[in-house]
Structures are given as structure tokens and as C-alpha cells.
Amino acid sequence: MSRAPEMGRASTGQKIEQAIEKALDPLATALRRATTPTKVIVAAPGKPGLEVSPLAVPFPAIPAIGGVEIATARAGFYKHERDDLVVFRFARGTTCAGVFTRHKIGSAPVDWCKRQLAADGGGEDVRALVVNAGCANAFTGKAGADAARRTASEVAKRFGCRQRDVMLASTGVIGVLLDDRKIAARLADVEAALDADASATGQWAVAGLGIMTTDTFPKGAFAECQIDGRTVRIAGIAKGSGMIAPDMATMLAFIVTDAAIAPPVLQALLGLHVRTTFNSVTVDGDTSTNDTCLLFATGASGAPRIGRVGDRRLKEFSAALDKVMLDLAHQLVRDGEGATKFVRVTVDGAASPASARKLAKSIADSPLVKTALAGEDANWGRVVMAVGKTEEPVDRDHLAIRFGPHVAAVDGAPSPTYDEAAMSAYMKNAEIDITVDVGSGRASATVWTCDLTKRYVEINGDYRS
């Protein structure tokens, strides 16, 4: 944040900064002083009355990424006072790729983005991203599609671009038609905020807050790497707390890099890493109508443009992108509705990677396993149940189960060294590892999940209240 003026009327930019500081109060001072990529705490539940998750992590300080500006506004999709509209403005020539839900009832903004990116030249010059919280605009028929189109049209007029160059995303209640007039009415304020001189961390942090629904903390991640000797930056935000079992929940993720990368290459990278990041987490096993992950490359770093998937110069960038995506995916689990445990489930010895993944997800999605975790009960019999019900190849007589370093079962039977006291003490940890060897091959997979508590029922019981 810049310093307050010594005298005279505050400029529009200064007013915007003051609004950001108010939104992040009492931590605006920390944001103002954040000049290095250390962590800063930003926590404000998206819905009144929610306590911040005990597994919450600080929001990272994100330095400026050339070619992108971000602003938020209150469009009024929520009854209580909060920003619920986020707009990204990108430099000319920004490329884009996306991965979306495979839910059979996709939302209007998902349909819009998929259509624009699949068109000839799609993703070659994307100029804006518009995100609203509080209304999913899903299961709204032609009226919802028209509302999405009108939103893109209004933003395109403001930014001097084509409708197809505007990406859209929504999150919130399903079956409610988006009132696009609320977005159009705030675009002048948004444009003024985009032109303001706000800190990069402030922009990313308020954007993280603006897309939350039942989230209890904003989720951000940042990494740097080299492409042909040039430093490039990657930053992203995500939202999601319940209805999380991405299939590419209500999950949204937006990642921006200043690298110069062609759309087909971006798409290949996103598809590669989404499988082991966003598609390897689960809170409740439910996939949303609105799952969206968009990756933008502004080209502002000065690094050479990469136009071929096999280009060796992408190696370090690919690893950094995976790091950002995995960080965001883990934060979704850490903010699982009512979660008190962050759990890593690893299956080894599977017949194939697909089999290992299915087995791991069966354990991670099991309500019986998850409630045992909530009760800090190492009920490994429930793990056995979750493994066996999948009909995947499993060698019962070689099955082994560990909770952290503690062996519960080995060679298809209770471990002779099983120590109930040691196991019970381990289960009190906030982070728990469950490892299962099914003895059928050499493949492995890891899925991250959380426990299932009474609070999950409470939050979802009055979701629309």
C-alpha cells in the first residue's frame, strides 16, 4: 500500500487503497510493509458466523506480476456487506487455458469459457476475467447463458476487446439466475480500482476474499522460476470449502504467470498437473457444476515465447506451476467445511496408477473413515472396508496399513507390534498420514482429504440461510 497523502483531497487510487486496507483491517499495516515474499495473515470468513479453520495458512506476499491488474467490488449478491465481484484485466496478447468440471449439469460461465477457448484462435488474446460469488448461475437455462453473454459484452466494451476475450466464473447457490445488471452497475468502480496504485499483495488478497463462499480464509500461492535465464513469476488464488471433489467443487482457481506461452502448451501443462493437484483432493466427494481452473500467461516477463510442449526450457516452469497448484489444492482441504484434520492418503503396491488412485479416493471419501479421524480414533478396520469395496485388485494376505510411522496391519492381519496408546497419541495431530499397501503391483497414488465433523452438517444445513 502507498502512504496516505500529507494534504489535499484523496485521489481515486488512494480511496481504493483505503478501501482495501479497511477490508483487510487490522492487518493493513502488515500488507503495506510487505516488500518481500514472506507470509501475511489475511482471514475473514466469506459467510458471517463461520470460525476460521484451525488448519488455515497465511496468505503469501505476492510481488507484482506484469500484465495483470485486479480489482473487487460489492455487486450485492450477498445480503451482508462484502465484496463479491472480482475482475482481472490482462495486457494485450495474454494467452489462456482452462480445465473445467465434467459434471453433467455445467454452469453457464463454464459453458461460456469452454466455447471461447475451443474456438479458432481461442485463448490467444484474453483480456479479462470476471468472477462473482453468491450466485452460481448454474441450472438456469437459456436465461443464464444470456446473462453470462451480457456480462462478457459489458466488460468487453469497457476494455475495448471482443466478448470472446472475456472469461467468466461464478460460485454460489445453484438454480439462481445471475442478475448481470448488478455486475454492469459496478464496472465503473471496478475500472477506477484497476487504474489505482494498489500493492500487488493487496490486489491478490482482496481477490481471494472476494471469491469466497463458505471459505474461512483466502487461498493464495506464489512461485518464481527461470525460463532461458529470465525470471518468471506464477501466482494464483482459489476458493473452495465444501462440494469439493474436483473432476477436471464448488472449486475455482485462477493462476497468472508473466511467462510467454502459447495456449496449446498452457493447456498441456494445466492438464498434466491438475490430475495430481486439484483432482487429487476431496472434502466430501461431491463434484460441483462450476469447477473451473484457468491459467493465464501475460508474456510481460520478457522471457522467450514457448510454443512447443516438448521445449526443455519449460522444465523449471512446469515444476513451479505444479508447486502453486498443489499449494492451492492443499488449502482447499485445509478449509474443508468443519475440518480439524489435514489428511494424506497414500496407496502403494497397486496394480496400476488408476487403481491406486481409485483406492486412495475410496479411503479419502469414506464417511466412516473421515468420522473416525474426527474422533481421533485409529479405526483401521474402516480403511480395510474402504479398500475392499472398490473391487480393485487387492491381495488380502499382503495388505498393510500405517498411520504415520505406526503399523496397524501387516500381511493381511493386525500387526504384532500394534501399540494402541502410541496410535491414539498420533491421532491427536492436526496432520495425519494414512498409508496402505495393497500388494498387487508397483503403482502408487496420493489423495489429500480432511475429517468429517458435526460442523460440516451445521454449515451445509443452513447454506442458503
PDB file of all heavy atoms in Angstrom, residues 191-212:
ATOM      1  N   GLU A 191     -13.302  -0.330 -12.830  1.00  0.00           N
ATOM      2  CA  GLU A 191     -12.310   0.236 -13.742  1.00  0.00           C
ATOM      3  C   GLU A 191     -11.447   1.272 -13.028  1.00  0.00           C
ATOM      4  O   GLU A 191     -10.231   1.332 -13.234  1.00  0.00           O
ATOM      5  CB  GLU A 191     -13.008   0.867 -14.944  1.00  0.00           C
ATOM      6  CG  GLU A 191     -12.069   1.140 -16.100  1.00  0.00           C
ATOM      7  CD  GLU A 191     -12.808   1.441 -17.377  1.00  0.00           C
ATOM      8  OE1 GLU A 191     -14.013   1.798 -17.311  1.00  0.00           O
ATOM      9  OE2 GLU A 191     -12.191   1.332 -18.443  1.00  0.00           O
ATOM     10  N   ALA A 192     -12.049   2.074 -12.157  1.00  0.00           N
ATOM     11  CA  ALA A 192     -11.282   3.050 -11.385  1.00  0.00           C
ATOM     12  C   ALA A 192     -10.303   2.350 -10.453  1.00  0.00           C
ATOM     13  O   ALA A 192      -9.146   2.783 -10.290  1.00  0.00           O
ATOM     14  CB  ALA A 192     -12.229   3.934 -10.574  1.00  0.00           C
ATOM     15  N   ALA A 193     -10.737   1.235  -9.870  1.00  0.00           N
ATOM     16  CA  ALA A 193      -9.861   0.483  -8.968  1.00  0.00           C
ATOM     17  C   ALA A 193      -8.722  -0.165  -9.732  1.00  0.00           C
ATOM     18  O   ALA A 193      -7.586  -0.234  -9.238  1.00  0.00           O
ATOM     19  CB  ALA A 193     -10.673  -0.579  -8.230  1.00  0.00           C
ATOM     20  N   LEU A 194      -8.988  -0.616 -10.936  1.00  0.00           N
ATOM     21  CA  LEU A 194      -7.931  -1.220 -11.753  1.00  0.00           C
ATOM     22  C   LEU A 194      -6.852  -0.204 -12.103  1.00  0.00           C
ATOM     23  O   LEU A 194      -5.680  -0.542 -12.240  1.00  0.00           O
ATOM     24  CB  LEU A 194      -8.527  -1.797 -13.044  1.00  0.00           C
ATOM     25  CG  LEU A 194      -9.376  -3.061 -12.893  1.00  0.00           C
ATOM     26  CD1 LEU A 194     -10.122  -3.352 -14.188  1.00  0.00           C
ATOM     27  CD2 LEU A 194      -8.505  -4.250 -12.507  1.00  0.00           C
ATOM     28  N   ASP A 195      -7.257   1.044 -12.260  1.00  0.00           N
ATOM     29  CA  ASP A 195      -6.307   2.099 -12.600  1.00  0.00           C
ATOM     30  C   ASP A 195      -5.586   2.660 -11.384  1.00  0.00           C
ATOM     31  O   ASP A 195      -4.687   3.488 -11.504  1.00  0.00           O
ATOM     32  CB  ASP A 195      -7.037   3.246 -13.316  1.00  0.00           C
ATOM     33  CG  ASP A 195      -7.552   2.826 -14.684  1.00  0.00           C
ATOM     34  OD1 ASP A 195      -6.947   1.922 -15.285  1.00  0.00           O
ATOM     35  OD2 ASP A 195      -8.567   3.400 -15.136  1.00  0.00           O
ATOM     36  N   ALA A 196      -5.990   2.217 -10.179  1.00  0.00           N
ATOM     37  CA  ALA A 196      -5.392   2.730  -8.945  1.00  0.00           C
ATOM     38  C   ALA A 196      -4.033   2.087  -8.696  1.00  0.00           C
ATOM     39  O   ALA A 196      -3.703   1.046  -9.255  1.00  0.00           O
ATOM     40  CB  ALA A 196      -6.324   2.466  -7.769  1.00  0.00           C
ATOM     41  N   ASP A 197      -3.274   2.722  -7.810  1.00  0.00           N
ATOM     42  CA  ASP A 197      -1.918   2.249  -7.489  1.00  0.00           C
ATOM     43  C   ASP A 197      -1.957   1.476  -6.177  1.00  0.00           C
ATOM     44  O   ASP A 197      -1.574   1.991  -5.128  1.00  0.00           O
ATOM     45  CB  ASP A 197      -0.961   3.443  -7.386  1.00  0.00           C
ATOM     46  CG  ASP A 197       0.468   3.002  -7.117  1.00  0.00           C
ATOM     47  OD1 ASP A 197       0.788   1.834  -7.411  1.00  0.00           O
ATOM     48  OD2 ASP A 197       1.264   3.814  -6.609  1.00  0.00           O
ATOM     49  N   ALA A 198      -2.435   0.233  -6.225  1.00  0.00           N
ATOM     50  CA  ALA A 198      -2.506  -0.611  -5.032  1.00  0.00           C
ATOM     51  C   ALA A 198      -1.403  -1.656  -5.081  1.00  0.00           C
ATOM     52  O   ALA A 198      -0.925  -2.035  -6.156  1.00  0.00           O
ATOM     53  CB  ALA A 198      -3.868  -1.297  -4.954  1.00  0.00           C
ATOM     54  N   SER A 199      -0.984  -2.139  -3.921  1.00  0.00           N
ATOM     55  CA  SER A 199       0.077  -3.140  -3.875  1.00  0.00           C
ATOM     56  C   SER A 199      -0.402  -4.438  -4.504  1.00  0.00           C
ATOM     57  O   SER A 199      -1.595  -4.762  -4.489  1.00  0.00           O
ATOM     58  CB  SER A 199       0.497  -3.405  -2.425  1.00  0.00           C
ATOM     59  OG  SER A 199      -0.438  -4.239  -1.781  1.00  0.00           O
ATOM     60  N   ALA A 200       0.537  -5.195  -5.060  1.00  0.00           N
ATOM     61  CA  ALA A 200       0.188  -6.464  -5.676  1.00  0.00           C
ATOM     62  C   ALA A 200      -0.413  -7.421  -4.659  1.00  0.00           C
ATOM     63  O   ALA A 200      -1.437  -8.067  -4.917  1.00  0.00           O
ATOM     64  CB  ALA A 200       1.426  -7.087  -6.325  1.00  0.00           C
ATOM     65  N   THR A 201       0.206  -7.509  -3.487  1.00  0.00           N
ATOM     66  CA  THR A 201      -0.339  -8.405  -2.460  1.00  0.00           C
ATOM     67  C   THR A 201      -1.751  -7.989  -2.088  1.00  0.00           C
ATOM     68  O   THR A 201      -2.631  -8.833  -1.903  1.00  0.00           O
ATOM     69  CB  THR A 201       0.558  -8.406  -1.207  1.00  0.00           C
ATOM     70  OG1 THR A 201       1.815  -8.992  -1.532  1.00  0.00           O
ATOM     71  CG2 THR A 201      -0.076  -9.201  -0.076  1.00  0.00           C
ATOM     72  N   GLY A 202      -1.986  -6.679  -1.978  1.00  0.00           N
ATOM     73  CA  GLY A 202      -3.321  -6.205  -1.650  1.00  0.00           C
ATOM     74  C   GLY A 202      -4.329  -6.617  -2.698  1.00  0.00           C
ATOM     75  O   GLY A 202      -5.437  -7.058  -2.376  1.00  0.00           O
ATOM     76  N   GLN A 203      -3.974  -6.494  -3.972  1.00  0.00           N
ATOM     77  CA  GLN A 203      -4.882  -6.884  -5.048  1.00  0.00           C
ATOM     78  C   GLN A 203      -5.209  -8.365  -4.984  1.00  0.00           C
ATOM     79  O   GLN A 203      -6.379  -8.763  -5.069  1.00  0.00           O
ATOM     80  CB  GLN A 203      -4.262  -6.549  -6.406  1.00  0.00           C
ATOM     81  CG  GLN A 203      -4.179  -5.074  -6.722  1.00  0.00           C
ATOM     82  CD  GLN A 203      -3.603  -4.819  -8.111  1.00  0.00           C
ATOM     83  OE1 GLN A 203      -3.214  -5.749  -8.819  1.00  0.00           O
ATOM     84  NE2 GLN A 203      -3.542  -3.566  -8.495  1.00  0.00           N
ATOM     85  N   TRP A 204      -4.195  -9.193  -4.837  1.00  0.00           N
ATOM     86  CA  TRP A 204      -4.411 -10.640  -4.797  1.00  0.00           C
ATOM     87  C   TRP A 204      -5.196 -11.044  -3.554  1.00  0.00           C
ATOM     88  O   TRP A 204      -6.058 -11.922  -3.608  1.00  0.00           O
ATOM     89  CB  TRP A 204      -3.079 -11.379  -4.850  1.00  0.00           C
ATOM     90  CG  TRP A 204      -2.470 -11.408  -6.218  1.00  0.00           C
ATOM     91  CD1 TRP A 204      -1.504 -10.579  -6.705  1.00  0.00           C
ATOM     92  CD2 TRP A 204      -2.800 -12.300  -7.289  1.00  0.00           C
ATOM     93  NE1 TRP A 204      -1.213 -10.901  -8.013  1.00  0.00           N
ATOM     94  CE2 TRP A 204      -1.983 -11.949  -8.388  1.00  0.00           C
ATOM     95  CE3 TRP A 204      -3.684 -13.363  -7.413  1.00  0.00           C
ATOM     96  CZ2 TRP A 204      -2.041 -12.635  -9.604  1.00  0.00           C
ATOM     97  CZ3 TRP A 204      -3.741 -14.048  -8.625  1.00  0.00           C
ATOM     98  CH2 TRP A 204      -2.931 -13.683  -9.698  1.00  0.00           C
ATOM     99  N   ALA A 205      -4.889 -10.398  -2.417  1.00  0.00           N
ATOM    100  CA  ALA A 205      -5.558 -10.761  -1.162  1.00  0.00           C
ATOM    101  C   ALA A 205      -7.047 -10.435  -1.200  1.00  0.00           C
ATOM    102  O   ALA A 205      -7.881 -11.259  -0.800  1.00  0.00           O
ATOM    103  CB  ALA A 205      -4.892 -10.050   0.013  1.00  0.00           C
ATOM    104  N   VAL A 206      -7.402  -9.234  -1.676  1.00  0.00           N
ATOM    105  CA  VAL A 206      -8.825  -8.889  -1.716  1.00  0.00           C
ATOM    106  C   VAL A 206      -9.548  -9.719  -2.780  1.00  0.00           C
ATOM    107  O   VAL A 206     -10.738 -10.022  -2.638  1.00  0.00           O
ATOM    108  CB  VAL A 206      -9.049  -7.377  -1.955  1.00  0.00           C
ATOM    109  CG1 VAL A 206      -8.542  -6.570  -0.780  1.00  0.00           C
ATOM    110  CG2 VAL A 206      -8.421  -6.913  -3.258  1.00  0.00           C
ATOM    111  N   ALA A 207      -8.841 -10.119  -3.825  1.00  0.00           N
ATOM    112  CA  ALA A 207      -9.444 -11.012  -4.814  1.00  0.00           C
ATOM    113  C   ALA A 207      -9.726 -12.370  -4.177  1.00  0.00           C
ATOM    114  O   ALA A 207     -10.790 -12.970  -4.405  1.00  0.00           O
ATOM    115  CB  ALA A 207      -8.527 -11.177  -6.016  1.00  0.00           C
ATOM    116  N   GLY A 208      -8.782 -12.854  -3.368  1.00  0.00           N
ATOM    117  CA  GLY A 208      -9.000 -14.112  -2.662  1.00  0.00           C
ATOM    118  C   GLY A 208     -10.185 -14.051  -1.729  1.00  0.00           C
ATOM    119  O   GLY A 208     -10.957 -15.007  -1.598  1.00  0.00           O
ATOM    120  N   LEU A 209     -10.362 -12.901  -1.080  1.00  0.00           N
ATOM    121  CA  LEU A 209     -11.522 -12.697  -0.210  1.00  0.00           C
ATOM    122  C   LEU A 209     -12.814 -12.605  -1.025  1.00  0.00           C
ATOM    123  O   LEU A 209     -13.856 -13.119  -0.625  1.00  0.00           O
ATOM    124  CB  LEU A 209     -11.347 -11.418   0.604  1.00  0.00           C
ATOM    125  CG  LEU A 209     -10.298 -11.431   1.722  1.00  0.00           C
ATOM    126  CD1 LEU A 209      -9.986 -10.005   2.172  1.00  0.00           C
ATOM    127  CD2 LEU A 209     -10.788 -12.252   2.899  1.00  0.00           C
ATOM    128  N   GLY A 210     -12.745 -11.955  -2.167  1.00  0.00           N
ATOM    129  CA  GLY A 210     -13.938 -11.681  -2.956  1.00  0.00           C
ATOM    130  C   GLY A 210     -14.588 -12.906  -3.570  1.00  0.00           C
ATOM    131  O   GLY A 210     -15.774 -12.866  -3.896  1.00  0.00           O
ATOM    132  N   ILE A 211     -13.836 -13.982  -3.764  1.00  0.00           N
ATOM    133  CA  ILE A 211     -14.414 -15.166  -4.409  1.00  0.00           C
ATOM    134  C   ILE A 211     -14.874 -16.214  -3.398  1.00  0.00           C
ATOM    135  O   ILE A 211     -15.385 -17.273  -3.784  1.00  0.00           O
ATOM    136  CB  ILE A 211     -13.431 -15.807  -5.409  1.00  0.00           C
ATOM    137  CG1 ILE A 211     -12.159 -16.315  -4.699  1.00  0.00           C
ATOM    138  CG2 ILE A 211     -13.086 -14.827  -6.525  1.00  0.00           C
ATOM    139  CD1 ILE A 211     -11.210 -17.053  -5.627  1.00  0.00           C
ATOM    140  N   MET A 212     -14.736 -15.938  -2.090  1.00  0.00           N
ATOM    141  CA  MET A 212     -15.085 -16.928  -1.082  1.00  0.00           C
ATOM    142  C   MET A 212     -16.600 -17.079  -0.935  1.00  0.00           C
ATOM    143  O   MET A 212     -17.345 -16.129  -1.132  1.00  0.00           O
ATOM    144  CB  MET A 212     -14.479 -16.551   0.274  1.00  0.00           C
ATOM    145  CG  MET A 212     -12.962 -16.501   0.275  1.00  0.00           C
ATOM    146  SD  MET A 212     -12.210 -16.529   1.931  1.00  0.00           S
ATOM    147  CE  MET A 212     -13.122 -15.270   2.790  1.00  0.00           C
TER     148      MET A 212
END
